Amino acid sequence: MVPLGLGALLVAGQALRWPPTNPAEAGGPVAPPAVQETLQRACYDCHSNATRWPWYSTVAPVSWLLQRDVMEGRRRLNFSEWADYASDPNTESQKLRDIVTRISAGDMAPWYYRLLHPSASLSDADRTQLASWAADEARHAATAN
């Protein structure tokens, strides 16, 4: 009886869908090609408006979790809206310092995301490269004040 009820809930859950969206992009950060490639490969699916939505992003309840994670990722840091951050050097330098902190701590990408998206895994060289770039850019933005 429980499997039948669970199945009915899953089928009914398909009616509650939020279509995956990718709003217009305002422009990302200027970065060397190697840094840009790493950002796009490992970060943009959650932290930009250029999300590549996998097939399972339309199947509830996984779709609900993905939608929530992407919306939260975009809210915290959205590379597609970098021009808005750059218009305020304090905001830009804070976002860059946050990148250094999260990348250096190994917090990004989250372990559960890397399970299904191994390309989002960052090597030690990737972490060093991203943290160095972000730290340099943060110093530059701070001196622009």
PDB file of all heavy atoms in Angstrom, residues 82-106:
ATOM      1  N   TRP A  82      27.388  40.610 -13.156  1.00  0.00           N
ATOM      2  CA  TRP A  82      28.639  41.149 -12.626  1.00  0.00           C
ATOM      3  C   TRP A  82      28.737  42.655 -12.836  1.00  0.00           C
ATOM      4  O   TRP A  82      29.311  43.372 -12.010  1.00  0.00           O
ATOM      5  CB  TRP A  82      29.837  40.443 -13.258  1.00  0.00           C
ATOM      6  CG  TRP A  82      31.068  40.685 -12.472  1.00  0.00           C
ATOM      7  CD1 TRP A  82      32.044  41.612 -12.728  1.00  0.00           C
ATOM      8  CD2 TRP A  82      31.443  40.037 -11.262  1.00  0.00           C
ATOM      9  NE1 TRP A  82      33.016  41.560 -11.762  1.00  0.00           N
ATOM     10  CE2 TRP A  82      32.661  40.595 -10.850  1.00  0.00           C
ATOM     11  CE3 TRP A  82      30.870  39.033 -10.489  1.00  0.00           C
ATOM     12  CZ2 TRP A  82      33.322  40.181  -9.694  1.00  0.00           C
ATOM     13  CZ3 TRP A  82      31.528  38.622  -9.357  1.00  0.00           C
ATOM     14  CH2 TRP A  82      32.734  39.195  -8.963  1.00  0.00           C
ATOM     15  N   ALA A  83      28.182  43.158 -13.913  1.00  0.00           N
ATOM     16  CA  ALA A  83      28.232  44.598 -14.180  1.00  0.00           C
ATOM     17  C   ALA A  83      27.576  45.382 -13.041  1.00  0.00           C
ATOM     18  O   ALA A  83      28.024  46.481 -12.697  1.00  0.00           O
ATOM     19  CB  ALA A  83      27.558  44.922 -15.507  1.00  0.00           C
ATOM     20  N   ASP A  84      26.538  44.823 -12.431  1.00  0.00           N
ATOM     21  CA  ASP A  84      25.898  45.486 -11.288  1.00  0.00           C
ATOM     22  C   ASP A  84      26.844  45.535 -10.095  1.00  0.00           C
ATOM     23  O   ASP A  84      26.892  46.522  -9.377  1.00  0.00           O
ATOM     24  CB  ASP A  84      24.612  44.759 -10.879  1.00  0.00           C
ATOM     25  CG  ASP A  84      23.520  44.876 -11.926  1.00  0.00           C
ATOM     26  OD1 ASP A  84      23.593  45.787 -12.780  1.00  0.00           O
ATOM     27  OD2 ASP A  84      22.591  44.053 -11.902  1.00  0.00           O
ATOM     28  N   TYR A  85      27.589  44.454  -9.872  1.00  0.00           N
ATOM     29  CA  TYR A  85      28.563  44.441  -8.775  1.00  0.00           C
ATOM     30  C   TYR A  85      29.685  45.434  -9.072  1.00  0.00           C
ATOM     31  O   TYR A  85      30.123  46.170  -8.193  1.00  0.00           O
ATOM     32  CB  TYR A  85      29.186  43.058  -8.589  1.00  0.00           C
ATOM     33  CG  TYR A  85      28.226  41.925  -8.347  1.00  0.00           C
ATOM     34  CD1 TYR A  85      28.507  40.654  -8.817  1.00  0.00           C
ATOM     35  CD2 TYR A  85      27.040  42.103  -7.642  1.00  0.00           C
ATOM     36  CE1 TYR A  85      27.651  39.586  -8.590  1.00  0.00           C
ATOM     37  CE2 TYR A  85      26.176  41.047  -7.420  1.00  0.00           C
ATOM     38  CZ  TYR A  85      26.478  39.796  -7.898  1.00  0.00           C
ATOM     39  OH  TYR A  85      25.631  38.745  -7.669  1.00  0.00           O
ATOM     40  N   ALA A  86      30.156  45.437 -10.317  1.00  0.00           N
ATOM     41  CA  ALA A  86      31.287  46.285 -10.699  1.00  0.00           C
ATOM     42  C   ALA A  86      30.942  47.765 -10.615  1.00  0.00           C
ATOM     43  O   ALA A  86      31.837  48.594 -10.457  1.00  0.00           O
ATOM     44  CB  ALA A  86      31.763  45.920 -12.101  1.00  0.00           C
ATOM     45  N   SER A  87      29.668  48.100 -10.692  1.00  0.00           N
ATOM     46  CA  SER A  87      29.285  49.508 -10.589  1.00  0.00           C
ATOM     47  C   SER A  87      29.479  50.032  -9.171  1.00  0.00           C
ATOM     48  O   SER A  87      29.490  51.238  -8.953  1.00  0.00           O
ATOM     49  CB  SER A  87      27.838  49.718 -11.046  1.00  0.00           C
ATOM     50  OG  SER A  87      26.940  49.107 -10.135  1.00  0.00           O
ATOM     51  N   ASP A  88      29.632  49.138  -8.217  1.00  0.00           N
ATOM     52  CA  ASP A  88      29.914  49.509  -6.827  1.00  0.00           C
ATOM     53  C   ASP A  88      31.153  48.737  -6.387  1.00  0.00           C
ATOM     54  O   ASP A  88      31.067  47.553  -6.073  1.00  0.00           O
ATOM     55  CB  ASP A  88      28.727  49.157  -5.932  1.00  0.00           C
ATOM     56  CG  ASP A  88      28.984  49.449  -4.459  1.00  0.00           C
ATOM     57  OD1 ASP A  88      30.056  50.004  -4.122  1.00  0.00           O
ATOM     58  OD2 ASP A  88      28.127  49.098  -3.632  1.00  0.00           O
ATOM     59  N   PRO A  89      32.317  49.390  -6.371  1.00  0.00           N
ATOM     60  CA  PRO A  89      33.560  48.678  -6.032  1.00  0.00           C
ATOM     61  C   PRO A  89      33.510  47.952  -4.685  1.00  0.00           C
ATOM     62  O   PRO A  89      34.144  46.912  -4.534  1.00  0.00           O
ATOM     63  CB  PRO A  89      34.614  49.780  -6.022  1.00  0.00           C
ATOM     64  CG  PRO A  89      34.062  50.836  -6.920  1.00  0.00           C
ATOM     65  CD  PRO A  89      32.566  50.782  -6.728  1.00  0.00           C
ATOM     66  N   ASN A  90      32.754  48.472  -3.714  1.00  0.00           N
ATOM     67  CA  ASN A  90      32.657  47.775  -2.430  1.00  0.00           C
ATOM     68  C   ASN A  90      31.952  46.430  -2.590  1.00  0.00           C
ATOM     69  O   ASN A  90      32.371  45.434  -2.001  1.00  0.00           O
ATOM     70  CB  ASN A  90      31.918  48.627  -1.400  1.00  0.00           C
ATOM     71  CG  ASN A  90      32.737  49.806  -0.929  1.00  0.00           C
ATOM     72  OD1 ASN A  90      33.967  49.733  -0.862  1.00  0.00           O
ATOM     73  ND2 ASN A  90      32.074  50.898  -0.614  1.00  0.00           N
ATOM     74  N   THR A  91      30.878  46.410  -3.372  1.00  0.00           N
ATOM     75  CA  THR A  91      30.155  45.160  -3.615  1.00  0.00           C
ATOM     76  C   THR A  91      31.024  44.196  -4.403  1.00  0.00           C
ATOM     77  O   THR A  91      31.123  43.014  -4.066  1.00  0.00           O
ATOM     78  CB  THR A  91      28.838  45.432  -4.370  1.00  0.00           C
ATOM     79  OG1 THR A  91      28.030  46.301  -3.589  1.00  0.00           O
ATOM     80  CG2 THR A  91      28.085  44.143  -4.652  1.00  0.00           C
ATOM     81  N   GLU A  92      31.664  44.695  -5.446  1.00  0.00           N
ATOM     82  CA  GLU A  92      32.510  43.835  -6.259  1.00  0.00           C
ATOM     83  C   GLU A  92      33.633  43.228  -5.430  1.00  0.00           C
ATOM     84  O   GLU A  92      33.873  42.019  -5.484  1.00  0.00           O
ATOM     85  CB  GLU A  92      33.099  44.628  -7.427  1.00  0.00           C
ATOM     86  CG  GLU A  92      33.969  43.778  -8.334  1.00  0.00           C
ATOM     87  CD  GLU A  92      34.594  44.575  -9.459  1.00  0.00           C
ATOM     88  OE1 GLU A  92      34.875  45.775  -9.281  1.00  0.00           O
ATOM     89  OE2 GLU A  92      34.817  43.971 -10.520  1.00  0.00           O
ATOM     90  N   SER A  93      34.324  44.049  -4.642  1.00  0.00           N
ATOM     91  CA  SER A  93      35.441  43.509  -3.856  1.00  0.00           C
ATOM     92  C   SER A  93      34.943  42.523  -2.802  1.00  0.00           C
ATOM     93  O   SER A  93      35.604  41.520  -2.530  1.00  0.00           O
ATOM     94  CB  SER A  93      36.274  44.626  -3.226  1.00  0.00           C
ATOM     95  OG  SER A  93      35.525  45.380  -2.318  1.00  0.00           O
ATOM     96  N   GLN A  94      33.747  42.755  -2.233  1.00  0.00           N
ATOM     97  CA  GLN A  94      33.194  41.807  -1.258  1.00  0.00           C
ATOM     98  C   GLN A  94      32.864  40.471  -1.921  1.00  0.00           C
ATOM     99  O   GLN A  94      33.162  39.409  -1.373  1.00  0.00           O
ATOM    100  CB  GLN A  94      31.948  42.383  -0.585  1.00  0.00           C
ATOM    101  CG  GLN A  94      31.330  41.461   0.444  1.00  0.00           C
ATOM    102  CD  GLN A  94      32.298  41.116   1.573  1.00  0.00           C
ATOM    103  OE1 GLN A  94      32.929  41.983   2.135  1.00  0.00           O
ATOM    104  NE2 GLN A  94      32.426  39.833   1.877  1.00  0.00           N
ATOM    105  N   LYS A  95      32.249  40.508  -3.095  1.00  0.00           N
ATOM    106  CA  LYS A  95      31.938  39.268  -3.817  1.00  0.00           C
ATOM    107  C   LYS A  95      33.224  38.514  -4.142  1.00  0.00           C
ATOM    108  O   LYS A  95      33.292  37.288  -3.993  1.00  0.00           O
ATOM    109  CB  LYS A  95      31.159  39.556  -5.111  1.00  0.00           C
ATOM    110  CG  LYS A  95      29.781  40.123  -4.900  1.00  0.00           C
ATOM    111  CD  LYS A  95      28.849  39.118  -4.284  1.00  0.00           C
ATOM    112  CE  LYS A  95      27.445  39.674  -4.186  1.00  0.00           C
ATOM    113  NZ  LYS A  95      26.540  38.779  -3.474  1.00  0.00           N
ATOM    114  N   LEU A  96      34.248  39.233  -4.569  1.00  0.00           N
ATOM    115  CA  LEU A  96      35.525  38.593  -4.893  1.00  0.00           C
ATOM    116  C   LEU A  96      36.174  37.986  -3.656  1.00  0.00           C
ATOM    117  O   LEU A  96      36.703  36.872  -3.709  1.00  0.00           O
ATOM    118  CB  LEU A  96      36.454  39.603  -5.568  1.00  0.00           C
ATOM    119  CG  LEU A  96      36.040  39.973  -6.995  1.00  0.00           C
ATOM    120  CD1 LEU A  96      36.679  41.289  -7.421  1.00  0.00           C
ATOM    121  CD2 LEU A  96      36.378  38.856  -7.967  1.00  0.00           C
ATOM    122  N   ARG A  97      36.122  38.685  -2.534  1.00  0.00           N
ATOM    123  CA  ARG A  97      36.679  38.124  -1.291  1.00  0.00           C
ATOM    124  C   ARG A  97      35.899  36.891  -0.861  1.00  0.00           C
ATOM    125  O   ARG A  97      36.476  35.914  -0.361  1.00  0.00           O
ATOM    126  CB  ARG A  97      36.685  39.188  -0.183  1.00  0.00           C
ATOM    127  CG  ARG A  97      37.773  40.241  -0.376  1.00  0.00           C
ATOM    128  CD  ARG A  97      37.968  41.117   0.847  1.00  0.00           C
ATOM    129  NE  ARG A  97      36.762  41.743   1.344  1.00  0.00           N
ATOM    130  CZ  ARG A  97      36.285  42.924   0.934  1.00  0.00           C
ATOM    131  NH1 ARG A  97      36.920  43.606   0.011  1.00  0.00           N
ATOM    132  NH2 ARG A  97      35.185  43.414   1.453  1.00  0.00           N
ATOM    133  N   ASP A  98      34.586  36.918  -1.060  1.00  0.00           N
ATOM    134  CA  ASP A  98      33.771  35.739  -0.748  1.00  0.00           C
ATOM    135  C   ASP A  98      34.167  34.551  -1.628  1.00  0.00           C
ATOM    136  O   ASP A  98      34.201  33.405  -1.155  1.00  0.00           O
ATOM    137  CB  ASP A  98      32.280  36.033  -0.928  1.00  0.00           C
ATOM    138  CG  ASP A  98      31.712  36.954   0.135  1.00  0.00           C
ATOM    139  OD1 ASP A  98      32.386  37.181   1.165  1.00  0.00           O
ATOM    140  OD2 ASP A  98      30.594  37.467  -0.077  1.00  0.00           O
ATOM    141  N   ILE A  99      34.463  34.821  -2.894  1.00  0.00           N
ATOM    142  CA  ILE A  99      34.910  33.753  -3.794  1.00  0.00           C
ATOM    143  C   ILE A  99      36.198  33.145  -3.258  1.00  0.00           C
ATOM    144  O   ILE A  99      36.332  31.919  -3.184  1.00  0.00           O
ATOM    145  CB  ILE A  99      35.097  34.285  -5.235  1.00  0.00           C
ATOM    146  CG1 ILE A  99      33.736  34.623  -5.854  1.00  0.00           C
ATOM    147  CG2 ILE A  99      35.856  33.273  -6.092  1.00  0.00           C
ATOM    148  CD1 ILE A  99      33.825  35.384  -7.169  1.00  0.00           C
ATOM    149  N   VAL A 100      37.146  33.998  -2.884  1.00  0.00           N
ATOM    150  CA  VAL A 100      38.418  33.499  -2.347  1.00  0.00           C
ATOM    151  C   VAL A 100      38.161  32.614  -1.136  1.00  0.00           C
ATOM    152  O   VAL A 100      38.699  31.505  -1.031  1.00  0.00           O
ATOM    153  CB  VAL A 100      39.362  34.672  -1.974  1.00  0.00           C
ATOM    154  CG1 VAL A 100      40.600  34.163  -1.243  1.00  0.00           C
ATOM    155  CG2 VAL A 100      39.755  35.468  -3.204  1.00  0.00           C
ATOM    156  N   THR A 101      37.335  33.081  -0.222  1.00  0.00           N
ATOM    157  CA  THR A 101      37.053  32.332   1.004  1.00  0.00           C
ATOM    158  C   THR A 101      36.420  30.983   0.707  1.00  0.00           C
ATOM    159  O   THR A 101      36.862  29.944   1.214  1.00  0.00           O
ATOM    160  CB  THR A 101      36.135  33.154   1.929  1.00  0.00           C
ATOM    161  OG1 THR A 101      36.787  34.384   2.247  1.00  0.00           O
ATOM    162  CG2 THR A 101      35.792  32.393   3.197  1.00  0.00           C
ATOM    163  N   ARG A 102      35.383  30.978  -0.123  1.00  0.00           N
ATOM    164  CA  ARG A 102      34.637  29.733  -0.398  1.00  0.00           C
ATOM    165  C   ARG A 102      35.463  28.741  -1.206  1.00  0.00           C
ATOM    166  O   ARG A 102      35.436  27.538  -0.951  1.00  0.00           O
ATOM    167  CB  ARG A 102      33.327  30.039  -1.129  1.00  0.00           C
ATOM    168  CG  ARG A 102      32.364  30.974  -0.404  1.00  0.00           C
ATOM    169  CD  ARG A 102      31.824  30.421   0.901  1.00  0.00           C
ATOM    170  NE  ARG A 102      31.102  29.204   0.813  1.00  0.00           N
ATOM    171  CZ  ARG A 102      29.790  29.086   0.609  1.00  0.00           C
ATOM    172  NH1 ARG A 102      29.036  30.148   0.477  1.00  0.00           N
ATOM    173  NH2 ARG A 102      29.228  27.911   0.559  1.00  0.00           N
ATOM    174  N   ILE A 103      36.211  29.261  -2.188  1.00  0.00           N
ATOM    175  CA  ILE A 103      37.044  28.385  -3.015  1.00  0.00           C
ATOM    176  C   ILE A 103      38.185  27.803  -2.181  1.00  0.00           C
ATOM    177  O   ILE A 103      38.467  26.604  -2.224  1.00  0.00           O
ATOM    178  CB  ILE A 103      37.601  29.149  -4.238  1.00  0.00           C
ATOM    179  CG1 ILE A 103      36.481  29.531  -5.200  1.00  0.00           C
ATOM    180  CG2 ILE A 103      38.683  28.349  -4.955  1.00  0.00           C
ATOM    181  CD1 ILE A 103      35.767  28.385  -5.850  1.00  0.00           C
ATOM    182  N   SER A 104      38.836  28.650  -1.396  1.00  0.00           N
ATOM    183  CA  SER A 104      39.972  28.196  -0.580  1.00  0.00           C
ATOM    184  C   SER A 104      39.547  27.183   0.475  1.00  0.00           C
ATOM    185  O   SER A 104      40.299  26.266   0.810  1.00  0.00           O
ATOM    186  CB  SER A 104      40.652  29.395   0.085  1.00  0.00           C
ATOM    187  OG  SER A 104      41.170  30.267  -0.896  1.00  0.00           O
ATOM    188  N   ALA A 105      38.328  27.336   0.994  1.00  0.00           N
ATOM    189  CA  ALA A 105      37.822  26.418   2.014  1.00  0.00           C
ATOM    190  C   ALA A 105      37.332  25.096   1.416  1.00  0.00           C
ATOM    191  O   ALA A 105      37.044  24.145   2.146  1.00  0.00           O
ATOM    192  CB  ALA A 105      36.685  27.076   2.795  1.00  0.00           C
ATOM    193  N   GLY A 106      37.233  25.038   0.094  1.00  0.00           N
ATOM    194  CA  GLY A 106      36.745  23.821  -0.554  1.00  0.00           C
ATOM    195  C   GLY A 106      35.241  23.679  -0.513  1.00  0.00           C
ATOM    196  O   GLY A 106      34.713  22.593  -0.734  1.00  0.00           O
TER     197      GLY A 106
END
